[in-house]
């Protein structure tokens, strides 16, 4: 599992029963492997992982953890269905006044930025904030690292 096998990536249906059987395994290591396999599947077959997420939702604390780790690529991509799975929607959330305070950051320094979020919904909303840093590799090309600035924040109407 989780080895990026091309057969299982193209048509992962053959390993789904195995993942189903292992989702309740008492070993954290095994459950983590199930999550990594789901993440691999999500890269080429997101709908399968979305269906599993729906099926396993609230089954147990452990399966919720598997889904969160197994859907991390979909979360980073901002896939609407997985965001909805977690009750996260950007409808009527307005970003403004974004400013990078430290546009050049050296290793060991801090990136500082600020922004305002305005919730124009009638009710409080939970949001997921994520940002990416581009950095220069040894050979001179840029690479990207996605980071979370906050897991969830409740934003209320002012």
């Amino acid at each position: 599992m989780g080895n990026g096998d091309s057969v299982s990536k193209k048509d992962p249906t053959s390993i789904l029963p195995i993942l189903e059987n292992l989702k309740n395994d008492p070993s954290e290591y095994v459950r983590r492997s199930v999550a990594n396999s789901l993440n691999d599947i999500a890269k080429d077959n997101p709908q399968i992982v979305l269906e599993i997420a729906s099926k396993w939702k609230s089954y147990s604390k452990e399966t919720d953890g598997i889904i969160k780790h197994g859907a991390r690529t979909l979360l980073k991509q901002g896939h609407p269905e997985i965001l909805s799975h977690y009750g996260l929607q950007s409808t009527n959330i307005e970003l403004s006044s974004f400013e990078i305070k430290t546009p050049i950051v050296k290793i060991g320094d801090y990136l500082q930025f600020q922004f305002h979020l305005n919730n124009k919904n009638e009710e409080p909303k939970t949001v997921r904030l994520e940002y990416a840093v581009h950095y220069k590799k040894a050979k001179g090309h840029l690479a990207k690292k996605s980071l979370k600035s906050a897991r969830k924040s409740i934003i209320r109407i002012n």
Side-chain angles (χ1 to χ4, degrees):
M1 284 187 304
N3 64 3
D5 179 82
S6 61
V7 175
S8 64
K9 283 178 82 172
K10 288 180 185 172
D11 183 12
T13 54
S14 62
I15 67 164
L16 296 180
I18 297 168
L19 299 179
E20 181 72 36
N21 287 336
L22 294 176
K23 77 178 185 285
N24 296 315
D25 196 276
S27 167
E28 172 69 21
Y29 179 82
V30 171
R31 292 191 314 272
R32 190 72 142 182
S33 183
V34 170
N36 288 335
S37 294
L38 289 175
N39 193 57
D40 288 343
I41 292 167
K43 293 173 185 175
D44 292 316
N45 299 281
Q47 197 57 42
I48 290 173
V49 174
L50 292 165
E51 289 168 11
I52 291 171
S54 176
K55 181 178 170 186
W56 291 2
K57 185 175 184 175
S58 301
Y59 182 81
S60 71
K61 183 179 107 179
E62 290 76 18
T63 56
D64 287 344
I66 289 170
I67 292 303
K68 185 174 183 183
H69 191 67
R72 65 189 181 276
T73 294
L74 297 176
L75 283 165
K76 283 183 180 183
Q77 293 171 343
H79 197 286
E81 285 183 61
I82 200 66
L83 292 175
S84 181
H85 175 85
Y86 288 105
L88 303 169
Q89 297 165 333
S90 60
T91 309
N92 296 319
I93 302 291
E94 182 180 89
L95 171 74
S96 63
S97 304
F98 181 81
E99 181 182 358
I100 297 176
K101 300 285 193 174
T102 53
I104 298 174
V105 181
K106 294 180 181 166
I107 293 175
D109 287 348
Y110 293 94
L111 170 66
Q112 296 178 6
F113 59 91
Q114 69 182 24
F115 55 87
H116 291 84
L117 284 177
N118 185 17
N119 179 7
K120 295 188 171 197
N121 293 285
E122 292 296 319
E123 69 281 343
K125 287 287 184 181
T126 302
V127 296
R128 175 185 168 97
L129 303 173
E130 210 170 282
Y131 64 97
V133 175
H134 290 80
Y135 59 95
K136 193 178 285 191
K137 301 282 281 185
K139 293 185 178 181
H141 67 281
L142 291 178
K144 181 174 102 173
K145 176 68 178 167
S146 293
L147 305 159
K148 283 187 274 189
S149 81
R151 282 188 224 147
K152 294 182 182 178
S153 299
I154 305 278
I155 298 174
R156 299 181 191 277
I157 299 173
N158 293 334

